[in-house]
Amino acid sequence: SLLAPFFIQSMIRALEWIIRPFSSILGRMAMGNIVRALSRTSVLIASLMVVVSVYIGVDTMTQSFRQSIIDWVDGHIGADIHVSSADTLKRSIDPLLVEKIEQLPAVKTVSAYNIHRILSRSSGEIHIFSYLKDLSVKEWTWAAGPPEKMDTLLADGQVLVSEIFARKHGITPGPGATVLLDTGKGPVSFGIAGIFRDFFMGGGRVIVSRSVMREFWGYDDITSIQVFLKKDRNIRPVQKQIRSMISPEEMVKIISGRDIKANILAVFNKTFIITSALQILTAIVALTGILNSVMALLFERTREFGILRACGAQQSQLVRLLLTECGLCGLIAGVMAFPLGGFLAWVLIHVINQRSFGWSYEFIFNPLIFLQAAGFACLAAVVAGIYPAVSAGRTDISTALRME
């Protein structure tokens, strides 16, 4: 905001140089009027810039988070069909079910695992996973070795922890990193083989080998199965086949990966619907602020409008002149909001979200949001300037020129 007058003058000079061969007299007058009334226009443009930067920052944060959720679901929950126990007391699924599903003609491969909620005095609530075959695609924030060696490190007794878990417990990634977990044999310190990006809540995730799960927590069961189908195979018939393999008294849930993804994104959209309300409020604030500023600016220029009308300017020309000024102010504010909105998005993604939730995700740049922001700024400025411009066009010449 402090540098707004400098940027406005620089951008007006650049615009004059670029569009001078194509601009009309009204366009050149509009650019000159913005610079001459800099004490007013700089405040108007700076305030609109801040409002538009909020729109850019929040929208970029939301879209980056949404795309990261989609990538995470595709990587961690990428199976075509998910089979899991719906019994809160007996979590186990019949191990023979894995073999039966693998033998189905449409099935390409199967990944089975167990998940158990553990309450640890040293680490609080955690969810411990152990896979028979881990086919999930992980995005590592730190790893002790290449991805293909993670299974070897797990077999050696080390563990993998989610980013949420690592941040919650102050784990510093690097060689020699350890975590203390309460087990059936008492507190045990485990070496950390890697930290992976994850959006699974509930205290975070810890992945161990089957032998470690069996030795320290006494679980050797299967609670969930991920089924990957061959290419272009229909999901519904396979779901019916799997359902027929399960006895009626067993409480087992069968759901497609497509439905899980849709449910997760539906929850995400409902959670972030507040951002839409924020953007609507932003538009209302912008329109109100611009309207007040334009009205004050035009009130000060009443005599100028009277002189223009006395020199032969038509009402429609005066209206076009003022709307052109408003549109240029909106365009300048939109352009100035680009770096500020990008910085705000960076703060939201890499500072606030990490502090609040413990996870991180990539800054996804979408050029379309900047075009939308510039368009929104121009439209807001023009809409807010319609009434003042029409009122100025109806100014009585004699009244405007009357001196005290």
Side-chain angles (χ1 to χ4, degrees):
S1 298
L2 180 67
L3 297 175
F6 168 76
F7 285 119
I8 293 168
Q9 288 180 310
S10 301
M11 292 183 66
I12 288 295
R13 291 195 194 99
L15 281 173
E16 287 177 339
W17 182 77
I18 294 172
I19 67 175
R20 179 175 289 276
F22 317 102
S23 63
S24 63
I25 183 64
L26 288 178
R28 292 195 293 272
M29 286 178 65
M31 288 185 282
N33 289 339
I34 291 174
V35 174
R36 279 193 294 272
L38 203 57
S39 61
R40 283 284 189 180
T41 56
S42 62
V43 176
L44 165 64
I45 292 172
S47 60
L48 183 57
M49 172 195 68
V50 173
V51 171
V52 175
S53 68
V54 172
Y55 172 85
I56 294 174
V58 172
D59 198 80
T60 301
M61 180 272 292
T62 304
Q63 295 303 320
S64 298
F65 191 20
R66 193 177 195 278
Q67 186 58 52
S68 298
I69 290 287
I70 292 174
D71 295 340
W72 173 71
V73 170
D74 291 340
H76 285 266
I77 317 176
D80 297 291
I81 301 173
H82 293 258
V83 182
S84 59
S85 173
D87 192 339
T88 56
L89 298 178
K90 185 184 177 183
R91 299 287 312 283
S92 302
I93 296 176
D94 185 1
L96 295 177
L97 183 60
V98 178
E99 299 177 11
K100 294 178 182 178
I101 294 175
E102 285 180 321
Q103 294 173 2
L104 293 175
V107 173
K108 179 180 179 181
T109 187
V110 172
S111 173
Y113 62 92
N114 61 7
I115 172 176
H116 290 280
R117 175 173 169 267
I118 305 296
L119 294 176
S120 171
R121 289 189 300 271
S122 57
S123 301
E125 180 190 32
I126 58 175
H127 290 80
I128 298 184
F129 287 64
S130 67
Y131 288 84
L132 283 177
K133 185 194 295 183
D134 187 1
L135 299 178
S136 62
V137 179
K138 298 179 179 63
E139 185 177 353
W140 302 99
T141 60
W142 176 80
E148 59 270 14
K149 290 188 176 181
M150 286 297 136
D151 290 340
T152 303
L153 295 175
L154 282 178
D156 292 339
Q158 298 191 47
V159 301
L160 307 176
V161 300
S162 66
E163 185 181 30
I164 295 174
F165 182 90
R167 291 185 184 277
K168 180 179 178 181
H169 298 94
I171 296 173
T172 303
T178 60
V179 59
L180 184 67
L181 300 176
D182 285 342
T183 71
K185 296 183 177 181
V188 177
S189 180
F190 294 92
I192 296 177
I195 301 174
F196 58 94
R197 185 167 291 160
D198 189 58
F199 299 104
F200 184 91
M201 298 299 292
R205 287 205 293 165
V206 176
I207 299 178
V208 301
S209 66
R210 296 289 293 185
S211 59
V212 168
M213 177 71 90
R214 183 170 52 250
E215 178 182 355
F216 291 97
W217 286 278
Y219 296 111
D220 195 25
D221 55 352
I222 293 173
T223 61
S224 299
I225 303 171
Q226 292 182 324
V227 183
F228 296 83
L229 303 183
K230 295 177 182 177
K231 190 176 181 180
D232 299 327
R233 293 303 179 103
N234 197 343
I235 294 176
R236 299 304 177 189
V238 180
Q239 284 183 294
K240 292 181 180 179
Q241 289 178 312
I242 296 174
R243 174 64 64 186
S244 66
M245 300 175 181
I246 302 169
S247 60
E249 62 271 11
E250 289 186 86
M251 299 176 64
V252 176
K253 180 171 64 176
I254 303 174
I255 185 171
S256 69
R258 189 187 304 116
D259 291 340
I260 291 178
K261 182 176 180 179
N263 292 339
I264 291 175
L265 292 180
V267 172
F268 175 89
N269 292 334
K270 288 180 181 178
T271 302
F272 280 87
I273 197 171
I274 187 65
T275 59
S276 299
L278 178 61
Q279 289 172 345
I280 293 173
L281 290 174
T282 298
I284 294 173
V285 171
L287 289 173
T288 305
I290 297 169
L291 180 61
N292 291 337
S293 298
V294 172
M295 288 290 286
L297 179 61
L298 298 188
F299 180 77
E300 291 182 351
R301 296 170 60 188
T302 301
R303 183 172 176 79
E304 175 190 336
F305 300 148
I307 293 174
L308 290 174
R309 294 281 286 115
C311 291
Q314 300 175 353
Q315 290 186 11
S316 59
Q317 290 179 313
L318 193 56
V319 171
R320 289 205 307 272
L321 171 64
L322 297 176
L323 290 182
T324 302
E325 291 181 24
C326 290
L328 287 172
C329 287
L331 176 63
I332 295 171
V335 173
M336 290 173 61
F338 293 170
L340 184 59
F343 175 72
L344 178 59
W346 183 89
V347 171
L348 289 170
I349 292 171
H350 294 293
V351 179
I352 294 177
N353 268 287
Q354 289 189 17
R355 295 281 185 178
S356 301
F357 304 104
W359 57 49
S360 65
Y361 49 92
E362 298 301 324
F363 185 108
I364 298 177
F365 174 77
N366 182 10
L368 184 60
I369 184 61
F370 293 111
L371 295 178
Q372 291 174 346
F376 165 73
C378 289
L379 180 62
V382 171
V383 170
I386 290 176
Y387 175 73
V390 172
S391 299
R394 295 173 178 173
T395 300
D396 181 72
I397 299 176
S398 60
T399 304
L401 294 176
R402 185 176 295 122
M403 301 289 291
E404 291 185 2

